[in-house]
Amino acid sequence: MNETLKNPYAGRFQPETNFKKVFEDEVTQLKKQNIPLEWRNHAVEQLTDAYIEQTRQIPDGVQLHRLANYILQDDLRDQCPDKITRTDFPFLSRGQIQVRMKRETPTGDMGYFSSTGKRPRIKPKKYRHMQ
């Protein structure tokens, strides 16, 4: 009983069972809970640690992505257009990135420059001359 209070996921992910499906169900149940950030971090850490200890495998990337979004749900739900100047380390949601990409288009020769600031070498076309 005392072990269950320390880690509620003790014995949930046994190798002889369908532990990946059980982990997916546990992630879904955890995402339904609306708890403060510190508790979300602790709950996700408990869940992933229990999975790794019991199965000796790393959880599926899709489920880890869902857990990361669960931890960051406060920032992802912030739809303020002035998020960049308001916070120290902002990041944009998928929709905000799409809007930003529509608004920001390169002008002139800027489309030819790479992220290093160098213009890629464009080879001139070779023409065959008629004799």
Side-chain angles (χ1 to χ4, degrees):
M1 180 72 178
N2 199 8
E3 178 66 27
T4 308
L5 292 176
K6 289 181 182 177
N7 190 352
Y9 304 108
R12 293 281 294 152
F13 312 109
Q14 296 303 322
E16 58 271 357
T17 63
N18 189 0
F19 55 87
K20 291 185 180 187
K21 177 68 176 150
V22 173
F23 184 74
E24 183 179 338
D25 294 340
E26 291 294 336
V27 170
T28 303
Q29 290 297 321
L30 186 62
K31 284 187 68 164
K32 289 179 183 178
Q33 298 176 9
N34 190 15
I35 56 179
L37 178 62
E38 295 81 21
W39 293 2
R40 281 187 298 223
N41 285 333
H42 184 67
V44 168
E45 185 177 357
Q46 274 189 330
L47 178 60
T48 54
D49 286 348
Y51 183 86
I52 292 170
E53 285 175 10
Q54 295 173 27
T55 64
R56 303 283 185 230
Q57 294 181 8
I58 296 174
D60 184 31
V62 173
Q63 302 309 320
L64 290 176
H65 185 77
R66 290 178 64 204
L67 288 172
N69 285 343
Y70 174 64
I71 291 172
L72 300 172
Q73 72 183 1
D74 297 335
D75 293 324
L76 290 173
R77 288 182 183 159
D78 184 10
Q79 294 296 321
C80 178
D82 197 25
K83 187 190 297 189
I84 301 295
T85 58
R86 218 172 27 123
T87 58
D88 292 334
F89 300 102
F91 59 92
L92 303 176
S93 66
R94 183 174 289 150
Q96 288 172 330
I97 290 173
Q98 290 174 348
V99 168
R100 185 173 183 169
M101 296 307 280
K102 286 179 187 175
R103 289 181 185 168
E104 297 177 5
T105 57
T107 58
D109 286 342
M110 291 304 294
Y112 293 109
F113 287 89
S114 68
S115 61
T116 60
K118 296 180 181 178
R119 188 173 184 165
R121 186 165 188 272
I122 301 172
K123 294 181 180 178
K125 290 184 180 180
K126 294 183 180 180
Y127 295 101
R128 285 197 157 158
H129 296 287
M130 303 285 284
Q131 290 187 3

